[in-house]
């Protein structure tokens, strides 16, 4: 279902709450929106719950650390309310705890939104719709697609390089020094090969008639339809509703100011 | 802007974007590791700051090699798009963050009217990207809620990281690449050849 939404439109839709949630510093707003994203993920998108959980679960720990950090080091504007407890000589107030939890929940929202995008979007289609809907120049679009296709080649070249070094007895040395040495040994040859190929690909594209002209026809026609707009309205509308409810219940907090 | 660039320069930026897109994703994990090590000491924020400069390196390398207006900005933007294609968990917003970092690096080159590519300008470009990204993170990561002393020290660490990991390391890698001869068709390679010819006379 969600995999059939126009990818460029999907990216914009995901970006709206991704940007606007950063205004809020209360617990209620990101929590409700997070639940909304979860419902969408497991009803409208064909994402396998196990796959999703595997990628998502480490970020719970990440969210916990960032929540803890913000709680410890919240500044005056954000550490309103009574002191709850003291740790390492730092007073933890209601406000700083709220700010911490809010930041943690917010980052979980961002990860869930990103997964909703990443797990339902085809990379080639995303580039094509960026070109056709958002007027990204064809030179850049096809340049990126050509470069992106090198990915498997890089992987196999890295393997060859590794084997070539091992067969000559230049194995990895232990410790940080060895790591830096290894980085030098791999990074430059890999990049040099990549750049050589990029020059060749560019020449091949031009010799086959690619001019980068913006007035061109497309084999894969991408379009924005009603359902794409509905998808956008669903996410933007739910954000507006969440903020409105949070405001009417008196929870809404924007940059440390209670509304 | 794109009309001034040759296709091979754009594909070069794209390939750099792919290579560093992967490296960036790798460094995301390294940053996470640093963060988890430092968190018990109450210094978790610095986990990323130490290595933040690496995220600006593609701007410096591309601008130093191609030497045209807009390259620092666009190459970082492309690296951002590539990371989204690779399926980053930072989501499509990453393209915006990348654009802001790229704009910071571009500013340093713009101030020299895209003529000066000495080490000090590359270092400035790395620091420019650091400042831009720092201001952006105040909002996007909610850093604005943090205590002023912590923010100041984070900014200092990020500036140093930007100067070293983006500016100095970026120049070093580009020079190493130029030595292999693959950059003969680009501004950096051409400049090297001129220098060699001068030396020969």
């Amino acid at each position: 279902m969600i995999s059939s939404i126009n990818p460029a439109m999907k990216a914009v839709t995901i970006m709206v709450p991704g940007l606007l949630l950063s205004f809020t510093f209360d617990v209620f707003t990101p929590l409700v929106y997070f639940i909304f994203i979860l419902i969408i993920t497991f009803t409208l998108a064909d994402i396998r719950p196990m796959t999703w959980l595997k990628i998502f679960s480490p970020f719970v720990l990440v969210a916990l650390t960032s929540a803890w950090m913000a709680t410890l080091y919240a500044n005056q504007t954000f550490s309103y309310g009574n002191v709850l407890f003291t740790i390492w000589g730092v007073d933890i107030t209601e406000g700083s705890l709220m700010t911490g939890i809010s930041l943690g929940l917010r980052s979980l929202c961002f990860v869930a939104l990103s997964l909703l995008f990443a797990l339902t979007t085809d990379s080639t289609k995303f580039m094509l719709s960026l070109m056709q809907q958002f007027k990204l120049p064809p030179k850049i679009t096809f340049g990126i697609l050509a470069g992106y296709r090198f990915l498997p080649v890089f992987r196999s070249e890295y393997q060859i390089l590794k084997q070539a070094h091992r067969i000559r007895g230049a194995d990895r040395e232990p410790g940080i020094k060895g790591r830096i040495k290894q980085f030098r040994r791999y990074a430059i040859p890999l990049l040099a090969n990549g750049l050589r190929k990029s020059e060749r690909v560019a020449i091949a594209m031009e010799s086959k008639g690619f001019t980068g002209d913006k007035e061109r026809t497309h084999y894969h026609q991408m379009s924005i339809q009603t359902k794409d707009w509905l998808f956008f309205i669903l996410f933007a509308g739910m954000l507006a509703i969440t903020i409105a409810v949070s405001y009417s219940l008196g929870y809404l907090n924007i940059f440390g100011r209670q509304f | 802007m794109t009309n001034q660039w040759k296709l091979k320069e754009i594909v070069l930026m794209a390939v750099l974007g792919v290579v560093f897109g992967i490296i960036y994703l790798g460094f995301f994990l390294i940053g996470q590791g640093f963060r988890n090590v430092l968190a018990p000491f109450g210094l978790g924020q610095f986990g990323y700051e130490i290595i933040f400069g690496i995220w600006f390196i593609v701007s410096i390398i591309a601008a130093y090699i191609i030497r045209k207006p807009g390259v620092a900005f666009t190459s970082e933007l492309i690296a951002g798009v590539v990371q989204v294609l690779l399926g980053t968990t930072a989501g499509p917003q990453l393209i915006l963050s990348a654009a802001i970092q790229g704009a910071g690096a571009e500013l340093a080159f713009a101030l020299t009217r895209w003529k000066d590519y000495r080490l000090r300008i590359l270092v400035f470009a790395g620091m420019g990207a650091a400042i831009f990204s720092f201001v952006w993170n105040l909002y996007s990561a909610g850093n604005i809620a943090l205590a002023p002393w912590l923010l100041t020290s984070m900014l200092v660490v990020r500036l140093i990281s930007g100067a070293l990991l983006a500016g100095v390391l970026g120049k070093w890698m580009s020079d190493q690449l130029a030595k292999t001869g693959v950059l003969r068709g680009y501004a950096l390679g051409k400049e090297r050849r001129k220098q060699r010819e001068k030396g020969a006379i």
Side-chain angles (χ1 to χ4, degrees), chain A residues 219-240:
Chain A
Y219 180 63
H220 290 287
Q221 204 75 43
M222 309 294 289
S223 61
I224 292 184
Q225 296 159 352
T226 325
K227 66 168 185 223
D228 302 319
W229 281 110
L230 283 177
F231 181 73
F232 177 81
I233 291 167
L234 175 68
F235 273 76
M238 190 59 203
L239 183 67

Side-chain angles (χ1 to χ4, degrees), chain B residues 8-72:
Chain B
K8 69 173 183 183
E9 288 167 341
I10 294 179
V11 180
L12 174 99
M13 282 191 253
V15 168
L16 286 176
V18 172
V19 173
F20 284 98
I22 304 166
I23 292 180
Y24 289 176
L25 288 181
F27 266 84
F28 180 69
L29 296 178
I30 296 176
Q32 220 44 261
F34 273 140
R35 198 181 154 129
N36 290 342
V37 171
L38 290 171
F41 304 103
L43 294 170
Q45 298 293 349
F46 291 98
Y48 278 109
E49 299 302 329
I50 299 168
I51 55 164
F52 219 98
I54 203 78
W55 274 279
F56 316 141
I57 198 171
V58 79
S59 283
I60 277 81
I61 292 183
Y64 184 56
I65 292 176
I66 300 176
R67 309 195 168 185
K68 283 187 181 169
V71 168

Side-chain angles (χ1 to χ4, degrees), chain A:
Chain A
M1 169 62 195
I2 284 182
S3 42
S4 68
I5 301 285
N6 179 288
M9 191 69 172
K10 202 192 300 175
V12 172
T13 305
I14 296 289
M15 251 188 243
V16 169
L19 291 177
L20 294 182
L21 271 179
S22 296
F23 280 113
T24 63
F25 281 88
D26 58 289
V27 173
F28 183 82
T29 319
L31 180 64
V32 170
Y33 207 72
F34 180 59
I35 295 168
F36 162 70
I37 301 166
L38 287 189
I39 292 171
I40 295 288
T41 305
F42 293 116
T43 54
L44 291 180
D46 359 292
I47 299 170
R48 256 184 284 149
M50 274 321 283
T51 325
W52 187 88
L53 220 72
K54 240 184 238 161
I55 311 176
F56 185 80
S57 48
F59 288 94
V60 177
L61 187 73
V62 176
L64 275 176
T65 19
S66 70
W68 178 233
M69 282 299 120
T71 308
L72 266 185
Y73 297 121
N75 64 26
Q76 281 168 343
T77 326
F78 291 91
S79 32
Y80 48 83
N82 302 324
V83 175
L84 295 176
F85 55 93
T86 306
I87 185 162
W88 299 328
V90 183
D91 292 334
I92 306 296
T93 66
E94 278 167 29
S96 51
L97 191 63
M98 288 296 162
T99 307
I101 296 173
S102 171
L103 283 177
L105 279 172
R106 188 207 283 178
S107 70
L108 288 184
C109 274
F110 291 169
V111 175
L113 281 168
S114 309
L115 289 185
L116 189 59
F117 180 83
L119 295 176
T120 63
T121 309
D122 179 78
S123 341
T124 311
K125 280 186 185 156
F126 178 49
M127 290 312 299
L128 291 180
S129 75
L130 279 184
M131 172 171 66
Q132 292 176 30
Q133 268 81 52
F134 291 160
K135 306 292 163 222
L136 189 73
K139 263 189 184 179
I140 294 192
T141 309
F142 287 106
I144 293 179
L145 279 175
Y148 185 63
R149 286 286 159 252
F150 281 148
L151 205 63
V153 182
F154 281 138
R155 206 168 288 143
S156 71
E157 253 171 27
Y158 174 69
Q159 289 301 331
I160 292 171
L161 215 63
K162 219 161 78 177
Q163 286 162 351
H165 282 166
R166 275 177 77 181
I167 214 164
R168 287 167 179 79
D171 233 350
R172 189 164 84 75
E173 289 157 45
I176 295 175
K177 240 187 177 171
R179 250 171 202 274
I180 293 172
K181 235 182 172 175
Q182 187 203 19
F183 174 77
R184 273 182 68 172
R185 233 190 260 147
Y186 288 125
I188 303 297
L190 273 178
L191 263 175
N193 262 340
L195 299 193
R196 230 174 249 138
K197 276 199 197 74
S198 83
E199 203 167 355
R200 261 181 245 153
V201 162
I203 293 167
M205 281 162 87
E206 276 173 338
S207 70
K208 289 188 169 67
F210 179 76
T211 55
D213 190 5
K214 280 169 194 161
E215 302 297 318
R216 54 171 291 139
T217 53
H218 300 291
Y219 180 63
H220 290 287
Q221 204 75 43
M222 309 294 289
S223 61
I224 292 184
Q225 296 159 352
T226 325
K227 66 168 185 223
D228 302 319
W229 281 110
L230 283 177
F231 181 73
F232 177 81
I233 291 167
L234 175 68
F235 273 76
M238 190 59 203
L239 183 67
I241 292 169
T242 311
I243 291 175
V245 170
S246 159
Y247 174 73
S248 65
L249 292 177
Y251 289 127
L252 189 65
N253 180 322
I254 291 175
F255 287 128
R257 289 211 12 233
Q258 203 79 35
F259 285 89

